[in-house]
Amino acid sequence: MTTKRPIPPGRELLSKGNATAQRVLEQSRIMADVVGRHARTLPDALNPKAPLESLGKASRGLMQAPQNLAMDAASYMLDAAQRSFLFWDTMREAGNNFVAHEKAGCPPVLIFDYETVVDGRKLKRPVNYALVRITPPEDMAPSNDTLRPFLIIDPRAGHGSGIGGFKSDSQVGVALRRGHPVYFVIFFRDPEPGQTILDITAAEAVFLKHVTDAHPKAPKPVVIGNCQGGWAVMMLGASMPNQLGALVLNGAPLSYWAGEKGKNPMRYLGGLAGGGWPAALMADMGNGRFDGANLVANFEALSPANTWFRKYFDLYENVDQEAERFLEFERWWGGYFLMNRDEIRWIVENLFIGNRFSSGRIAAGDGQTFNMREVKAPVIVFASAGDNITPPGQALRWIADVYRDEREIKSLGQTIVYLLHEDIGHLGIFVSGKVAKKEHSEIATTIDMIESVAPGLYEMVITGHEGHEDGAWQVELVERSIAHVREISGEAENEAFPAVAQISELNQHLYDVLVAPVIRQFSTEMGAETRRRMNPMRWRRYALSDMNPFMGPVSSLAGLARENRRPVAANNPFLAFEKAFADSMEYGFNAMRDLRDAWVETAFHGVYGTLHAAGVTGEDYEAEAEAARDSVTTDAPQRAEAELKLAQGGYAEAVIRMMILLADARGAVRRSRLARSNQLLTTEAPFAQMSAAERMGVIREQTMIATLFPEEAIKALTVLLPDAASRRKALKAVETVAGPDEELGDNARARLQRLREVLAVRPQRAA
């Protein structure tokens, strides 16, 4: 028996000194990288070349005869005055809509009729949520209860619900047009006393069970999570892994620390505020309730040019066409909801600051945690490079945090598909009609065939379909790797963020002990309501409504402007000056934003990176997170199971195994092949006699075998198909799904030829 020799004290000190030196060097490298990036990008961002060129171009339009210039000036002044009256009347109407919306209790902004089927306020643990079923409008066919139901969960991030059904061309509209039953999770402005996030998750589980029970002949429901509704969906998927058909995450931030240096400044704000205690302070000042208007203000601060100028100038510039769209959007953007103190604290500590979701450290009660490895339903992630609220890294990085590599995803039988938009903003993911007609429509189509997709990690690539009319798209699922996801996500393993979590816990404890008791002692509901009404997000809308007597004449003046409307000619030179002025204003706001973001990022890394380098960040926190991420470090159980089942099965297992082997060699699958595969697996014997769960079980099992033992899986086909007739039949089915040989690619053709050789079957079709 040997004993472990103790480390000499001197050597231990030397080891700690080396570790500290390494942290200091790494922090120096990070700071140099951050400063270098901003030094390279800021000069271009602060260069006024574009607005100056716009101003110069406008000046050249003034070089004309004085009488013509005077006529243009008079025409422009009349048009500008009329547009001003119409602009302020639109702002007045938006203010009135805001006041009326608040008086009505901020109902959902769904444009579709609906009926409430489960009211969460009447559950054993009441919550301010409810499940409603959408009623198809008269111009759509009635829903088919045998089709897969859709359940949509909107974010509760300051605003109200309904963004997923905000327009006819929306997530709700796409599903209704396909005949699917559509359910929506709405919520009310005021939370129920004492409700928690775990209570809400339990209520959503009740909603899901109701949807499933209401459609016994339909496949399992698709559950769609928008923005922060995405982590609610993943919590459902982890707690009820066998009850969901597919999960769709739209702009959902699951890895809050992820991002790219020089971008995504929102992830730094919690650290510079000292952690999560300001949210607790605002909740305490609100008499135990947190005002969602504060969250919306944070979102608006990300793009001050649009918040304070551009969206209003666009309305003023095209007020004849833009007024209706502006009012429609303001109806949703201007509804502010409340959260309990415990709710906002849970969200901040577990997600914004702690980033505990992707590492599997969120408590689910009874000593359990929500582990995303437990999610069995296929997951579709939709993100956009133009999203500054949930950038692609925050939407996708959880995949690399949860799984070691793409082989593990396959061996665990999981299917993950992600879709990236090039430039649409965060809200455009939910409200853009173009996105609904393209991305959401193609996602809905793919979901219909999702059970025929072999487990793995894929990117959905949507391209124009040559030879087809506009509106037709070609969809291909391309296999990707975890390394590819890491490349998209940017650097997520930055030690400054664990330092934020550590400091946040300390500050929160000090606040709870020293400050919170005093604040709560003097908080009253009357004072809290007064503060909410005086919030700038609200009073600026009150000030433009009919509550302000000075807005009284605006309606009459706007009416006169409409009756005598004289739009200016498009080539009027003063319009060019107007545009040059707008460009200059937008440039100024953007320059201030870029300077602010550069300062925020530099300060964040300077403060928390230095704390980490100095050893202030506790090792316990990092060890806990690492242990949670690496709780499963071997695929030995999957290998043993796969090896045991290599030669088990028959015709069905052989066909599915061969299709998976071909798909793996091809590296991508077009929707046409996916449709043929889906038809084979749902209409032909013996697959048609299987339930959806049984088919998915065989697909997952054969994927595990083909991933871990590809060559042995091919050789064992002779055992699964013992006679020549079954081999010919199986190979013919596989060839039909695969399509012509010349469309397969070299690797897939070689794999198909290998299958023919092992089964001793000649090609059964013409090229």
Side-chain angles (χ1 to χ4, degrees):
M1 180 177 179
T2 60
T3 58
K4 187 176 180 180
R5 299 178 60 184
I7 300 176
R11 185 175 298 175
E12 184 176 356
L13 289 174
L14 181 60
S15 176
K16 290 183 178 180
N18 289 337
T20 301
Q22 289 178 357
R23 290 197 299 266
V24 171
L25 289 174
E26 177 64 13
Q27 169 61 12
S28 301
R29 185 194 64 79
I30 290 174
M31 284 300 298
D33 183 25
V34 169
V35 173
R37 291 189 187 214
H38 290 300
R40 290 190 297 271
T41 58
L42 278 178
D44 289 337
L46 301 180
N47 187 353
K49 179 180 179 181
L52 289 177
E53 288 180 351
S54 180
L55 184 62
K57 183 178 179 181
S59 301
R60 289 192 290 272
L62 299 179
M63 297 178 181
Q64 54 178 303
Q67 63 271 24
N68 293 337
L69 192 62
M71 292 177 62
D72 286 339
S75 177
Y76 172 77
M77 291 175 64
L78 175 61
D79 172 70
Q82 290 178 336
R83 280 188 290 148
S84 295
F85 296 143
L86 295 176
F87 169 83
W88 288 112
D89 190 52
T90 303
M91 297 300 295
R92 180 190 65 84
E93 189 174 350
N96 288 340
N97 290 345
F98 176 82
V99 173
H101 191 60
E102 283 206 328
K103 286 183 178 179
C106 294
V109 295
L110 292 163
I111 67 164
F112 301 91
D113 294 331
Y114 58 86
E115 59 173 332
T116 302
V117 291
V118 181
D119 190 337
R121 296 172 296 185
K122 298 178 181 178
L123 297 176
K124 184 178 180 181
R125 289 283 300 174
V127 296
N128 65 329
Y129 280 66
L131 176 69
V132 303
R133 180 168 181 175
I134 305 296
T135 303
E138 295 181 356
D139 60 342
M140 294 185 187
S143 299
N144 184 347
D145 284 348
T146 63
L147 293 180
R148 187 191 304 272
F150 277 61
L151 174 62
I152 301 173
I153 301 178
D154 262 0
R156 185 162 161 244
H159 296 109
S161 59
I163 194 70
F166 188 58
K167 299 179 179 179
S168 178
D169 291 323
S170 61
Q171 296 164 345
V172 171
V174 166
L176 286 178
R177 288 189 182 91
R178 295 174 179 274
H180 294 275
V182 179
Y183 293 82
F184 210 97
V185 175
I186 66 169
F187 43 86
F188 306 100
R189 177 175 57 187
D190 298 312
E192 291 294 302
Q195 77 177 36
T196 66
I197 296 296
L198 295 183
D199 292 334
I200 294 170
T201 302
E204 289 170 342
V206 173
F207 299 161
L208 179 62
K209 186 177 186 303
H210 176 90
V211 173
T212 303
D213 293 345
H215 303 275
K217 297 182 180 179
K220 295 175 184 177
V222 171
V223 185
I224 299 175
N226 294 325
C227 190
Q228 291 191 29
W231 51 257
V233 167
M234 290 298 281
M235 289 166 70
L236 270 182
S239 59
M240 306 175 67
N242 298 315
Q243 304 300 315
L244 298 88
L247 311 179
V248 181
L249 313 178
N250 296 311
L254 296 181
S255 296
Y256 287 81
W257 292 353
E260 182 181 349
K261 292 189 182 75
K263 298 180 180 179
N264 319 135
M266 192 173 185
R267 60 193 176 132
Y268 302 125
L269 298 181
L272 293 183
W277 70 269
L281 171 63
M282 287 187 281
D284 287 334
M285 293 177 64
N287 198 32
R289 294 191 293 179
F290 178 86
D291 188 358
N294 297 309
L295 290 177
V296 180
N298 284 340
F299 298 146
E300 288 195 342
L302 290 174
S303 182
N306 184 68
T307 297
W308 297 110
F309 177 75
R310 193 78 219 189
K311 69 178 182 180
Y312 299 114
F313 176 79
D314 288 344
L315 171 63
Y316 168 75
E317 185 182 30
N318 301 292
V319 69
D320 299 304
Q321 295 81 30
E322 284 291 306
E324 183 176 352
R325 184 202 61 80
F326 179 86
L327 291 172
E328 183 184 54
F329 180 75
E330 280 291 304
R331 181 167 164 257
W332 174 74
W333 188 253
Y336 307 125
F337 282 53
L338 308 180
M339 293 183 186
N340 283 338
R341 178 194 299 112
D342 289 343
E343 290 182 285
I344 187 62
R345 182 165 175 172
W346 187 98
I347 292 171
V348 170
E349 291 180 356
N350 284 283
L351 303 176
F352 296 158
I353 301 294
N355 195 45
R356 294 173 179 168
F357 209 129
S358 60
S359 59
R361 294 180 295 118
I362 291 184
D366 299 328
Q368 304 296 314
T369 59
F370 291 105
N371 189 344
M372 284 196 276
R373 295 175 67 90
E374 297 298 323
V375 176
K376 303 302 180 186
V379 181
I380 298 177
V381 183
F382 181 23
S384 173
D387 187 346
N388 64 345
I389 293 178
T390 304
Q394 294 186 10
L396 297 175
R397 178 69 193 200
W398 66 270
I399 304 172
D401 292 338
V402 173
Y403 302 99
R404 293 195 309 273
D405 53 38
E406 57 278 7
R407 282 171 53 86
E408 185 181 40
I409 295 176
K410 291 183 178 182
S411 65
L412 291 174
Q414 180 57 282
T415 303
I416 302 175
V417 179
Y418 67 86
L419 171 63
L420 291 175
H421 196 282
E422 293 181 358
D423 52 25
I424 196 72
H426 183 71
L427 294 175
I429 292 177
F430 318 121
V431 303
S432 170
K434 292 181 179 179
V435 170
K437 292 178 180 178
K438 182 182 178 183
E439 281 81 4
H440 289 306
S441 179
E442 300 309 322
I443 288 173
T445 301
T446 302
I447 285 174
D448 291 339
M449 300 174 284
I450 198 72
E451 291 173 350
S452 300
V453 180
L457 176 62
Y458 302 90
E459 179 180 2
M460 181 186 293
V461 180
I462 304 176
T463 55
H465 200 311
E466 296 182 3
H468 286 67
E469 59 185 13
D470 291 342
W473 305 97
Q474 178 173 294
V475 176
E476 188 172 23
L477 301 183
V478 182
E479 283 202 64
R480 295 301 189 199
S481 65
I482 292 292
H484 188 75
V485 170
R486 288 196 179 99
E487 183 180 347
I488 296 173
S489 302
E491 69 292 329
E493 298 174 358
N494 192 311
E495 300 301 342
F497 287 101
V500 175
Q502 188 92 8
I503 298 299
S504 178
E505 290 180 6
L506 174 62
N507 289 342
Q508 185 66 56
H509 177 71
L510 293 174
Y511 170 81
D512 289 340
V513 173
L514 301 177
V515 182
V518 179
I519 299 294
R520 295 173 188 174
Q521 183 70 27
F522 291 97
S523 293
T524 64
E525 186 57 32
M526 180 180 294
E529 182 61 23
T530 301
R531 275 188 290 272
R532 285 192 283 267
R533 289 186 174 275
M534 292 303 295
N535 188 298
M537 301 296 292
R538 289 188 177 87
W539 68 253
R540 78 188 197 208
R541 289 173 168 82
Y542 294 148
L544 295 176
S545 72
D546 287 339
M547 294 173 63
N548 181 356
F550 291 101
M551 295 298 292
V554 171
S555 179
S556 300
L557 292 172
L560 289 174
R562 291 188 185 93
E563 292 175 4
N564 302 279
R565 187 76 177 98
R566 296 282 297 275
V568 70
N571 61 351
N572 189 294
F574 293 96
L575 279 182
F577 267 106
E578 181 180 276
K579 185 178 184 306
F581 165 76
D583 291 342
S584 300
M585 289 292 294
E586 186 173 24
Y587 160 79
F589 277 112
N590 286 337
M592 289 189 295
R593 177 203 62 196
D594 292 338
L595 286 170
R596 177 202 65 188
D597 291 350
W599 178 87
V600 165
E601 185 172 34
T602 304
F604 175 86
H605 287 286
V607 172
Y608 288 99
T610 301
L611 287 174
H612 172 73
V616 173
T617 305
E619 297 179 358
D620 292 342
Y621 184 92
E622 298 172 28
E624 179 188 352
E626 191 69 22
R629 281 193 292 268
D630 297 338
S631 57
V632 179
T633 59
T634 176
D635 59 3
Q638 287 80 26
R639 293 187 68 86
E641 182 182 358
E643 192 170 17
L644 181 65
K645 295 182 177 180
L646 267 170
Q648 294 181 9
Y651 175 82
E653 287 77 9
V655 170
I656 291 176
R657 183 182 298 183
M658 286 191 286
M659 288 196 298
I660 291 169
L661 287 165
L662 277 180
D664 183 65
R666 191 166 47 237
V669 55
R670 289 183 180 177
R671 188 167 58 192
S672 56
R673 294 192 183 98
L674 190 57
R676 292 195 294 268
S677 173
N678 188 62
Q679 182 178 14
L680 170 69
L681 297 180
T682 56
T683 63
E684 297 187 17
F687 308 105
Q689 285 70 45
M690 298 179 179
S691 66
E694 289 172 337
R695 283 195 299 271
M696 182 56 68
V698 175
I699 292 174
R700 285 174 173 164
E701 180 181 280
Q702 295 305 314
T703 300
M704 178 176 63
I705 293 171
T707 300
L708 298 176
F709 300 100
E711 184 58 30
E712 292 85 347
I714 294 175
K715 293 178 180 178
L717 288 172
T718 56
V719 180
L720 303 184
L721 301 169
D723 57 84
S726 63
R727 294 179 186 180
R728 284 194 298 270
K729 180 182 177 182
L731 199 55
K732 182 178 180 181
V734 171
E735 290 174 340
T736 301
V737 171
D741 282 16
E742 60 268 19
E743 294 183 3
L744 293 180
D746 295 340
N747 292 338
R749 275 197 299 270
R751 177 63 60 83
L752 181 58
Q753 183 59 32
R754 172 70 175 144
L755 294 175
R756 289 166 177 163
E757 292 172 355
V758 169
L759 296 177
V761 176
R762 291 184 177 182
Q764 302 176 64
R765 62 184 180 192

